[in-house]
Each structure stands twice: as C-alpha cells, then as structure tokens.
CSV table of all heavy atoms in Angstrom, one decimal:
chain,number,residue,atom,x,y,z
L,1,ALA,N,141.6,253.1,41.6
L,1,ALA,CA,141.5,252.3,42.9
L,1,ALA,C,140.1,251.8,43.1
L,1,ALA,O,139.9,250.9,44.0
L,1,ALA,CB,141.9,253.2,44.0
L,2,ASP,N,139.1,252.2,42.3
L,2,ASP,CA,137.8,251.8,42.5
L,2,ASP,C,137.5,250.6,41.5
L,2,ASP,O,137.4,250.9,40.3
L,2,ASP,CB,136.8,252.9,42.2
L,2,ASP,CG,135.3,252.5,42.5
L,2,ASP,OD1,135.0,251.3,42.3
L,2,ASP,OD2,134.6,253.4,43.1
L,3,PRO,N,137.4,249.5,41.9
L,3,PRO,CA,137.2,248.2,40.9
L,3,PRO,C,136.0,248.3,40.2
L,3,PRO,O,136.0,247.9,38.9
L,3,PRO,CB,137.2,247.0,41.9
L,3,PRO,CG,137.9,247.4,43.1
L,3,PRO,CD,137.6,248.9,43.3
L,4,LYS,N,134.9,249.0,40.7
L,4,LYS,CA,133.7,249.0,40.0
L,4,LYS,C,133.9,250.0,38.8
L,4,LYS,O,133.2,249.8,37.8
L,4,LYS,CB,132.6,249.6,40.9
L,4,LYS,CG,132.2,248.5,41.9
L,4,LYS,CD,131.0,249.2,42.9
L,4,LYS,CE,130.6,248.2,43.9
L,4,LYS,NZ,129.5,248.7,44.8
L,5,PHE,N,134.7,251.1,38.9
L,5,PHE,CA,134.8,252.0,37.8
L,5,PHE,C,135.5,251.3,36.6
L,5,PHE,O,134.9,251.3,35.6
L,5,PHE,CB,135.7,253.2,38.3
L,5,PHE,CG,136.0,254.1,37.1
L,5,PHE,CD1,135.0,254.8,36.6
L,5,PHE,CD2,137.3,254.3,36.7
L,5,PHE,CE1,135.3,255.8,35.6
L,5,PHE,CE2,137.5,255.2,35.7
L,5,PHE,CZ,136.5,255.9,35.1
L,6,LEU,N,136.6,250.5,36.8
L,6,LEU,CA,137.3,249.7,35.8
L,6,LEU,C,136.4,248.7,35.2
L,6,LEU,O,136.3,248.5,33.9
L,6,LEU,CB,138.5,249.2,36.3
L,6,LEU,CG,139.7,250.1,36.8
L,6,LEU,CD1,140.9,249.4,37.2
L,6,LEU,CD2,140.0,251.2,35.7
L,7,ARG,N,135.7,248.0,36.0
L,7,ARG,CA,134.9,246.9,35.5
L,7,ARG,C,133.7,247.4,34.8
L,7,ARG,O,133.2,246.7,33.9
L,7,ARG,CB,134.4,245.9,36.7
L,7,ARG,CG,135.7,245.0,37.1
L,7,ARG,CD,135.7,244.5,38.5
L,7,ARG,NE,136.9,243.7,38.9
L,7,ARG,CZ,138.1,244.3,39.1
L,7,ARG,NH1,138.4,245.6,39.1
L,7,ARG,NH2,139.1,243.3,39.4
L,8,GLY,N,133.2,248.6,35.3
L,8,GLY,CA,132.0,249.2,34.6
L,8,GLY,C,132.5,249.6,33.2
L,8,GLY,O,131.6,249.3,32.2
L,9,LEU,N,133.5,250.2,33.0
L,9,LEU,CA,134.1,250.5,31.7
L,9,LEU,C,134.3,249.4,30.7
L,9,LEU,O,133.8,249.2,29.7
L,9,LEU,CB,135.4,251.4,31.8
L,9,LEU,CG,135.3,252.7,32.3
L,9,LEU,CD1,136.7,253.2,32.6
L,9,LEU,CD2,134.5,253.7,31.5
L,10,ASP,N,134.9,248.2,31.4
L,10,ASP,CA,135.1,247.0,30.6
L,10,ASP,C,133.8,246.4,30.2
L,10,ASP,O,133.7,246.0,29.1
L,10,ASP,CB,135.9,246.1,31.6
L,10,ASP,CG,136.6,244.9,30.7
L,10,ASP,OD1,137.3,245.1,29.7
L,10,ASP,OD2,136.2,243.8,31.1
L,11,ALA,N,132.8,246.4,31.1
L,11,ALA,CA,131.5,245.7,30.8
L,11,ALA,C,130.8,246.6,29.6
L,11,ALA,O,130.1,245.9,28.8
L,11,ALA,CB,130.6,245.7,32.0
L,12,ASP,N,131.0,247.9,29.6
L,12,ASP,CA,130.4,248.7,28.6
L,12,ASP,C,131.1,248.7,27.3
L,12,ASP,O,130.8,249.2,26.3
L,12,ASP,CB,130.5,250.1,29.0
L,12,ASP,CG,129.5,250.4,30.2
L,12,ASP,OD1,128.7,249.7,30.5
L,12,ASP,OD2,129.4,251.6,30.7
L,13,GLY,N,132.3,247.8,27.3
L,13,GLY,CA,133.0,247.8,25.9
L,13,GLY,C,134.0,249.0,25.8
L,13,GLY,O,134.5,249.1,24.6
L,14,GLU,N,134.2,249.8,26.8
L,14,GLU,CA,135.1,250.9,26.6
L,14,GLU,C,136.5,250.4,26.9
L,14,GLU,O,136.9,249.7,27.7
L,14,GLU,CB,134.8,251.9,27.8
L,14,GLU,CG,133.4,252.5,27.5
L,14,GLU,CD,133.4,253.4,26.4
L,14,GLU,OE1,134.2,253.7,25.6
L,14,GLU,OE2,132.1,253.9,26.2
L,15,VAL,N,137.5,251.0,26.1
L,15,VAL,CA,138.9,250.9,26.3
L,15,VAL,C,139.3,251.8,27.3
L,15,VAL,O,138.9,253.0,27.1
L,15,VAL,CB,139.7,250.9,25.0
L,15,VAL,CG1,141.2,251.0,25.1
L,15,VAL,CG2,139.3,249.8,23.9
L,16,PHE,N,140.0,251.4,28.3
L,16,PHE,CA,140.5,252.3,29.3
L,16,PHE,C,142.1,252.2,29.6
L,16,PHE,O,142.5,251.2,29.3
L,16,PHE,CB,139.8,252.2,30.6
L,16,PHE,CG,140.0,250.7,31.3
L,16,PHE,CD1,141.2,250.5,32.0
L,16,PHE,CD2,139.1,249.8,31.3
L,16,PHE,CE1,141.4,249.3,32.5
L,16,PHE,CE2,139.3,248.6,32.0
L,16,PHE,CZ,140.5,248.3,32.5
L,17,VAL,N,142.7,253.4,29.9
L,17,VAL,CA,144.0,253.3,30.3
L,17,VAL,C,144.0,254.2,31.5
L,17,VAL,O,144.0,255.5,31.5
L,17,VAL,CB,144.9,254.0,29.2
L,17,VAL,CG1,146.3,254.0,29.5
L,17,VAL,CG2,144.7,253.3,27.9
L,18,VAL,N,144.0,253.6,32.6
L,18,VAL,CA,143.8,254.2,33.9
L,18,VAL,C,144.9,253.9,34.9
L,18,VAL,O,145.3,252.8,35.1
L,18,VAL,CB,142.4,253.8,34.5
L,18,VAL,CG1,142.2,254.4,35.9
L,18,VAL,CG2,141.3,254.2,33.6
L,19,ASP,N,145.4,255.0,35.6
L,19,ASP,CA,146.4,254.9,36.6
L,19,ASP,C,145.9,254.0,37.7
L,19,ASP,O,144.7,254.2,38.2
L,19,ASP,CB,147.0,256.1,37.0
L,19,ASP,CG,147.8,256.8,36.0
L,19,ASP,OD1,148.0,256.2,34.9
L,19,ASP,OD2,148.2,258.0,36.2
L,20,VAL,N,146.7,253.3,38.6
L,20,VAL,CA,146.4,252.6,39.7
L,20,VAL,C,147.4,253.0,40.7
L,20,VAL,O,148.5,253.5,40.5
L,20,VAL,CB,146.4,251.2,39.5
L,20,VAL,CG1,145.1,250.8,38.6
L,20,VAL,CG2,147.6,250.5,39.0
L,21,LYS,N,147.2,252.6,42.0
L,21,LYS,CA,148.1,252.9,43.1
L,21,LYS,C,149.2,251.8,43.1
L,21,LYS,O,149.1,250.8,42.6
L,21,LYS,CB,147.3,253.0,44.4
L,21,LYS,CG,146.4,254.0,44.5
L,21,LYS,CD,145.7,254.2,45.8
L,21,LYS,CE,144.5,255.3,45.7
L,21,LYS,NZ,145.1,256.6,45.6
L,22,ALA,N,150.2,252.2,43.8
L,22,ALA,CA,151.4,251.3,44.0
L,22,ALA,C,150.9,250.0,44.6
L,22,ALA,O,151.6,249.0,44.6
L,22,ALA,CB,152.6,251.9,44.7
L,23,SER,N,149.9,250.2,45.6
L,23,SER,CA,149.4,248.9,46.2
L,23,SER,C,148.5,248.0,45.5
L,23,SER,O,148.0,247.1,46.1
L,23,SER,CB,148.6,249.4,47.5
L,23,SER,OG,147.7,250.3,47.2
L,24,GLN,N,148.2,248.3,44.2
L,24,GLN,CA,147.4,247.5,43.4
L,24,GLN,C,148.0,246.1,43.3
L,24,GLN,O,149.1,245.9,43.0
L,24,GLN,CB,147.3,248.1,42.0
L,24,GLN,CG,146.6,247.2,41.1
L,24,GLN,CD,145.1,247.1,41.2
L,24,GLN,OE1,144.5,248.0,41.4
L,24,GLN,NE2,144.6,245.8,41.0
L,25,ARG,N,147.1,245.2,43.6
L,25,ARG,CA,147.5,243.7,43.6
L,25,ARG,C,147.3,243.1,42.2
L,25,ARG,O,146.2,243.3,41.6
L,25,ARG,CB,146.9,242.9,44.7
L,25,ARG,CG,147.3,243.4,46.1
L,25,ARG,CD,146.9,242.5,47.2
L,25,ARG,NE,147.6,242.9,48.5
L,25,ARG,CZ,148.7,242.4,48.8
L,25,ARG,NH1,149.5,241.6,48.2
L,25,ARG,NH2,149.2,242.9,50.0
L,26,ILE,N,148.3,242.4,41.7
L,26,ILE,CA,148.1,241.6,40.3
L,26,ILE,C,148.6,240.2,40.6
L,26,ILE,O,149.3,239.8,41.5
L,26,ILE,CB,149.0,242.4,39.5
L,26,ILE,CG1,150.4,242.3,39.9
L,26,ILE,CG2,148.5,243.8,39.1
L,26,ILE,CD1,151.5,242.8,38.9
L,27,TYR,N,148.1,239.3,39.6
L,27,TYR,CA,148.5,238.0,39.5
L,27,TYR,C,149.2,237.9,38.2
L,27,TYR,O,149.1,238.5,37.2
L,27,TYR,CB,147.3,237.1,39.3
L,27,TYR,CG,146.5,237.0,40.6
L,27,TYR,CD1,145.4,237.9,40.9
L,27,TYR,CD2,146.6,235.9,41.5
L,27,TYR,CE1,144.6,237.7,42.0
L,27,TYR,CE2,145.9,235.9,42.6
L,27,TYR,CZ,144.8,236.8,42.9
L,27,TYR,OH,144.0,236.7,44.0
L,28,LEU,N,150.5,237.2,38.4
L,28,LEU,CA,151.4,236.9,37.2
L,28,LEU,C,150.9,235.7,36.4
L,28,LEU,O,151.4,235.5,35.3
L,28,LEU,CB,152.8,236.8,37.7
L,28,LEU,CG,153.3,238.0,38.5
L,28,LEU,CD1,154.8,237.8,38.9
L,28,LEU,CD2,153.2,239.3,37.8
C-alpha cells in the first residue's frame, strides 16, 4: 500500500511480488 516501497524496489532493479489491498487502483 506504500507506493514509495514498490517504486523504491523497482528503481533499485529489484524484482518484487508484493500483495496490495482491494482498494488498489489500476489502469487497464
């Protein structure tokens, strides 16, 4: 649920598989 956490991992080149909440918003 913390965007900085996911984007920090992504910026570091880490592959992540992280759960999100049902309220997570996505674009199709």
